[in-house]
Amino acid sequence: MIPWQEYDTLLRQKLSPKRYEHSIAVMERAVELAKRYGVDVDKARLAGLLHDIMKNEDKINLLQFIGNSDILLSVAEKNGPPLWHAIGGFLYARDVLKIEDADVLNAIRYHTTGRANMSPLEQVVYLADLTSSDRDYLDVEETRKRSEQSLHIGMLYSINFLICDLVKRGNMLHQDTVDCYNELIAQELNKNGKKTER
Ligand SMILES: [Fe+2]
Ligand SMILES: [Fe+2]
């Protein structure tokens, strides 16, 4: 049994009101997308609710928390503080909340970078985070539309947008994001019968 009430209380303690509202909105959107794509609704609800659980954590504490774990940060991660909360969230869910479901844990861990071979649940949570009702960035309507066409179309559009934005702002690309993009493009090329080699 999932202790929803305890999780709700925990989120209210750990997150700002705005981040709490975002978590609820992502949970709702994850459920919506899970139903659309035949993904386990309870897992989507849980991963959506908890995905940002470490978002408001003090950066030094967060780094220490990760440093005490079995995860070694890559160069891009060391230089990308916005990525820490996803790794920290994964660790918190695994080690503190004792969540054992690997798919739920991975959906939390990869919700900012994406990665190659994302499971349908990981994609649902990734897209729910970008298209929840509280989101109001310039491109959100288009991203919502694409996320409702297929998981592949939604992911391709979102990762493309993310990479362009990171490059434009002079930020590093995480290897998992590049791998995610390459895998989506390879699927496109194979679908269209084009060769991937140059
Ligand atoms: Fe996040
Ligand atoms: Fe989020």
Side-chain angles (χ1 to χ4, degrees), residues 29-109:
R29 179 65 173 164
V31 166
E32 210 176 292
L33 291 175
K35 284 180 182 163
R36 177 180 284 267
Y37 296 120
V39 170
D40 189 305
V41 170
D42 283 334
K43 290 185 186 187
R45 183 180 288 119
L46 182 60
L49 182 69
L50 297 178
H51 82 287
D52 270 345
I53 187 143
M54 296 298 265
K55 185 76 178 182
N56 291 144
E57 205 68 19
D58 172 79
K59 289 279 180 281
I60 293 170
N61 291 346
L62 187 52
L63 211 50
Q64 213 163 32
F65 182 62
I66 297 169
N68 290 334
S69 77
D70 52 337
I71 291 180
L72 280 178
L73 294 182
S74 67
V75 175
E77 285 162 350
K78 279 183 190 149
N79 287 285
L83 304 175
W84 300 347
H85 78 284
I87 300 165
F90 159 80
L91 290 170
Y92 191 90
R94 187 190 70 179
D95 300 344
V96 181
L97 300 179
K98 306 291 182 200
I99 289 171
E100 291 177 353
D101 188 294
D103 209 10
V104 170
L105 294 173
N106 286 331
I108 297 171
R109 180 168 181 172

Side-chain angles (χ1 to χ4, degrees), residues 19 22 26 51-52 55 85 111 129 135:
R19 188 57 51 179
H22 167 71
V26 171
H51 82 287
D52 270 345
K55 185 76 178 182
H85 78 284
H111 85 265
D129 189 29
R135 293 291 201 191

